[in-house]
Amino acid sequence: QAVIARGETIARNMTSTSASETNKRNLLLAEDDVIVRFVLAAQLRRSGYAVIEAVSGEEAKAVLVAGPELGVLLSDAQLAGEHSGFALAQWVRRHRKSIEVILAASLSAKVQAVCDLCKRLGKKCDAAAITTRIQGMLAERKRRMRLPSSTAAGLTPKRKRS
């Protein structure tokens, strides 16, 4: 229920603009990794897209059912949950045929898709820099997850006094 309510709220906000050209700039990004989604959405926004972010296939479908005017669905092909990216793409092709669907599985494919979208609007996009940024953030997350909780929070263990 919470997902549907969020999707409906986002949809109401997006439908206020109805110009065809503007709708092409409305994009739904379905990506379950927060770091990847954050960086890709930021790049798309800097290039002029209005981005709705979805964490799962279920959340993306709720947004699509709510009916905002969208030009593109960019989805991770391997979304976790009941609705994979492939299932989402099939649903869009049956029910929202005007939406362009882009599925990408690897990080490099996702970054390339984002750069291709940015170039459509005449914006520059450095795929290597984006990939390096994401990989660095993912490595930092992995490193922090290996640390004991007190160290990960920036706390240093207390030394015993002799």
Side-chain angles (χ1 to χ4, degrees):
Q1 284 279 280
V3 170
I4 293 171
R6 181 172 181 250
E8 289 172 353
T9 301
I10 293 169
R12 276 197 272 327
N13 292 339
M14 292 291 291
T15 54
S16 62
T17 306
S18 60
S20 177
E21 190 59 36
T22 302
N23 292 343
K24 291 179 184 177
R25 292 184 182 202
N26 294 342
L27 183 142
L28 175 57
L29 174 61
E31 170 60 51
D32 50 8
D33 187 293
V34 66
I35 291 173
V36 175
R37 189 177 64 252
F38 171 79
V39 175
L40 297 181
Q43 178 64 40
L44 289 163
R45 286 184 179 108
R46 277 192 301 274
S47 295
Y49 284 95
V51 180
I52 300 173
E53 298 178 37
V55 144
S56 66
E58 290 80 8
E59 188 171 300
K61 186 174 177 188
V63 170
L64 291 161
V65 166
E69 293 296 321
L70 296 169
V72 180
L73 164 65
L74 173 56
S75 178
D76 180 353
Q78 302 165 349
L79 282 173
E82 186 179 324
H83 297 287
S84 70
F86 292 106
L88 199 56
Q90 289 174 341
W91 188 91
V92 168
R93 288 190 177 122
R94 279 195 304 268
H95 302 285
R96 302 283 306 273
K97 295 176 184 171
S98 65
I99 298 174
E100 177 184 0
V101 176
I102 302 170
L103 291 177
S106 68
L107 178 60
S108 62
K110 292 171 191 176
V111 171
Q112 190 57 54
V114 166
C115 283
D116 290 347
L117 288 165
C118 295
K119 289 174 186 173
R120 288 183 190 180
L121 300 181
K123 304 295 181 178
K124 292 181 181 179
C125 183
D126 185 346
I130 295 170
T131 301
T132 300
R133 180 171 182 214
I134 292 172
Q135 288 172 336
M137 292 173 78
L138 292 172
E140 178 64 16
R141 177 176 66 189
K142 188 175 183 179
R143 184 189 69 76
R144 286 178 183 238
M145 292 183 80
R146 280 191 232 136
L147 296 174
S149 61
S150 62
T151 308
L155 304 174
T156 56
K158 293 183 180 180
R159 296 182 186 170
K160 290 184 180 180
R161 294 184 182 177
S162 315

